[in-house]
Amino acid sequence: MGKYPAEPGDGARPNLTVPKEQVMEKVVALAKRRGFIYPSSEIYGGLSGFYDYGPYGVALKRAIRDLWWRHMVELRDDVVGLESTLLMPRAVWEASGHLENFVDPLRQCLGRCKKRWRADHVLGEKCPECGGPLDDARLFNLMFKAFVGPLEDRASEVYLRPETAQGMFVDFKNVISSTRVRVPFGIAQQGKAFRNEITPGNFVFRVREFELMELEYFVRPNQDDESFDYWRKERLRWYTEVLGVSPEKLRMYDHPKESLSHYSKQTTDIEYEFPFGWGELEGIADRTDYDLAVHQEKSKQDLTYLDPETNERYLPWVIEPAVSMERIFITLLVDAYDEDVVNNEPRVVLHLHPNVAPVQVAVVPLSKKPELIEVAQEVIKGLRGEFRVEYDQTGGNIGRRYRRQDEIGTPFCITIDFDTLNDKAVTIRHRDTTNQERVPITALAGRLGLLTDGLEPS
Ligand code: ATP
């Protein structure tokens, strides 16, 4: 009873394997079609490397951001938050080494296409696009420059931050003197970062405006190895257990010494196997005391920490897990994308973890009959606030309405039917198995709570 339409519901669905080379194209099309991501300023021809987030994109983005904050700050007693400004003066970037070192080698095609390439992304001497000759590599700084005030001189020069980290170092003294933090402790920040990438691409994998989520975790000098190990494991766990990323698609890549950034003693990337190959999802870097030391020297301010237990003064060392919301976003879409067959019809489905699904519960009355609508409104009122809910009152073919929810990754649809009027129960339709179960309305929120928390199998 209560199965609309009669779907196989036994979880045994023929799976259509999507050829790897088609996955990105399909994900990009779905993202646009279903209101996740649009190219920025599209009606004016777009702006390369910039994207806007539509209604479902915003919901997914916020879920990612909130889960990061919850696990990195709220569920811990050793991490505090910070929000520093997006524009910071030249002096900051001079001290941090970004003016000198935040550069990529650039080569331009001298042949037909005149395309610019990142030299370390090009194999050989020929243009990958048209086969023309390439000029010699020159260094290109990735920071966007601006001026504060009416004069465009050195003193008014500011830069849009390419990372949020420097805000944490520059405010380090303020944080230790205004709070009760004790080493080891961390400062976390989420917010926009900007990089004038030479070759943005692979959808939102490499963009010019993105949202970084960074933790600077301060430890005693030379006690970095233990913390570095801890964060490598902890971050990997977060991806698989909290976001539901397939573990077999993740791996650790330890950077060889010669390719480390100017501030790093050791760096590990958590990589994901994207359709275009393995790529960096998150970087975990051991920044030593490099940043605090250079800011102390250039600002002539004492940035040392006084250890209350040993009475020692020192500059703490820093472990930094850093990831952009965009890299997680594309990882989740690619990881979740699937095509299978339901009722002899192909369907597109996003197997998003309920933690991140833009809509966790969709309420779908079977028809537009006022008595059904009335109950549906009651049901949704009881769920709103606790879950991300959507109400689909369009009427018409219920199978089609399920398909739409499948495409945006909604794990649970609640169907209100004519039996509901008598038995005061509704049907939960499960996205992944298409199984359906009948639940009394009074027990619905509790059951959905267990399901979305993953405490009971779907
Ligand atoms: P690359 O060498 O690939 O340009 P990087 O190693 O300099 O990148 P990091 O400075 O380590 O990158 O950046 C930290 C994190 O920020 C990355 O792991 C990634 O999640 C994210 N990130 C960096 N650049 C971009 C970008 N252009 N678009 C989206 N996310 C980015």
Side-chain angles (χ1 to χ4, degrees), residues 68-69 72-73 79-86 88 92-93 96 98 161-177 181 185-193 212-218 287 291-293 295 303 316 318-323:
W68 189 91
W69 196 258
M72 299 297 266
V73 184
V79 177
V80 294
L82 184 83
E83 274 189 35
S84 57
T85 57
L86 276 57
M88 291 171 98
V92 168
W93 307 110
S96 68
H98 281 79
R161 61 185 185 188
E163 58 175 36
T164 68
Q166 294 309 319
M168 267 94 86
F169 300 129
V170 169
D171 279 343
F172 178 73
K173 198 175 151 74
N174 279 332
V175 173
I176 50 173
S177 62
V181 290
F185 76 95
I187 308 180
Q189 177 161 207
Q190 301 179 319
K192 290 276 187 174
L212 267 179
M213 306 192 280
E214 294 187 296
L215 169 70
E216 306 305 320
Y217 196 79
F218 299 93
R287 295 181 80 125
D291 302 273
L292 287 179
H295 285 304
L303 300 186
V318 178
I319 306 300
E320 175 198 77
V323 62

Side-chain angles (χ1 to χ4, degrees), residues 32-263:
K32 173 120 191 265
R33 180 170 80 243
R34 290 300 185 197
F36 283 86
I37 298 183
Y38 318 120
S40 163
S41 312
E42 195 181 14
I43 61 167
Y44 290 102
L47 184 60
S48 165
F50 293 84
Y51 287 90
D52 294 343
Y53 287 79
Y56 293 123
V58 170
L60 176 53
K61 200 175 160 170
R62 292 186 82 94
I64 296 169
R65 202 196 280 149
D66 291 351
L67 284 168
W68 189 91
W69 196 258
R70 186 161 171 71
H71 287 259
M72 299 297 266
V73 184
E74 291 172 357
L75 293 178
R76 307 183 62 99
D77 55 16
D78 58 350
V79 177
V80 294
L82 184 83
E83 274 189 35
S84 57
T85 57
L86 276 57
L87 287 167
M88 291 171 98
R90 180 186 170 89
V92 168
W93 307 110
E94 217 161 42
S96 68
H98 281 79
L99 275 177
E100 191 184 341
N101 297 313
F102 201 65
V103 288
D104 274 340
L106 166 74
R107 298 188 78 175
Q108 187 168 8
C109 171
L110 299 171
R112 191 162 35 83
C113 78
K114 306 279 181 283
K115 262 201 155 166
R116 294 185 180 87
W117 301 94
R118 229 174 94 166
D120 55 335
H121 287 177
V122 180
L123 296 170
E125 288 302 308
K126 299 282 176 211
C127 170
E129 181 91 357
C130 72
L134 294 170
D135 69 359
D136 291 338
R138 65 203 133 104
L139 294 175
F140 172 74
N141 195 297
L142 301 185
M143 286 195 295
F144 287 96
K145 192 191 327 194
F147 298 92
V148 167
L151 287 180
E152 292 200 358
D153 60 8
R154 248 310 150 85
S156 57
E157 217 171 287
V158 292
Y159 290 84
L160 276 170
R161 61 185 185 188
E163 58 175 36
T164 68
Q166 294 309 319
M168 267 94 86
F169 300 129
V170 169
D171 279 343
F172 178 73
K173 198 175 151 74
N174 279 332
V175 173
I176 50 173
S177 62
S178 61
T179 67
R180 308 184 66 183
V181 290
R182 296 274 178 268
V183 168
F185 76 95
I187 308 180
Q189 177 161 207
Q190 301 179 319
K192 290 276 187 174
F194 301 82
R195 297 183 186 183
N196 199 359
E197 297 280 358
I198 296 169
T199 43
N202 285 326
F203 201 30
V204 295
F205 179 86
R206 189 176 298 283
V207 282
R208 289 173 165 144
E209 171 177 335
F210 52 99
E211 195 163 323
L212 267 179
M213 306 192 280
E214 294 187 296
L215 169 70
E216 306 305 320
Y217 196 79
F218 299 93
V219 298
R220 292 175 60 83
N222 299 312
Q223 294 203 337
D224 51 324
D225 287 342
E226 193 185 318
S227 183
F228 186 68
D229 263 7
Y230 165 80
W231 283 109
R232 288 166 93 241
K233 294 196 186 90
E234 173 56 18
R235 295 303 300 150
L236 188 64
R237 185 193 70 81
W238 187 73
Y239 286 110
T240 55
E241 289 181 18
V242 180
L243 301 191
V245 177
S246 314
E248 70 280 7
K249 296 256 179 177
L250 292 168
R251 74 175 186 194
M252 298 281 206
Y253 170 73
D254 299 324
H255 282 245
K257 286 263 176 287
E258 58 277 13
S259 74
L260 291 172
S261 308
H262 63 280
Y263 51 74

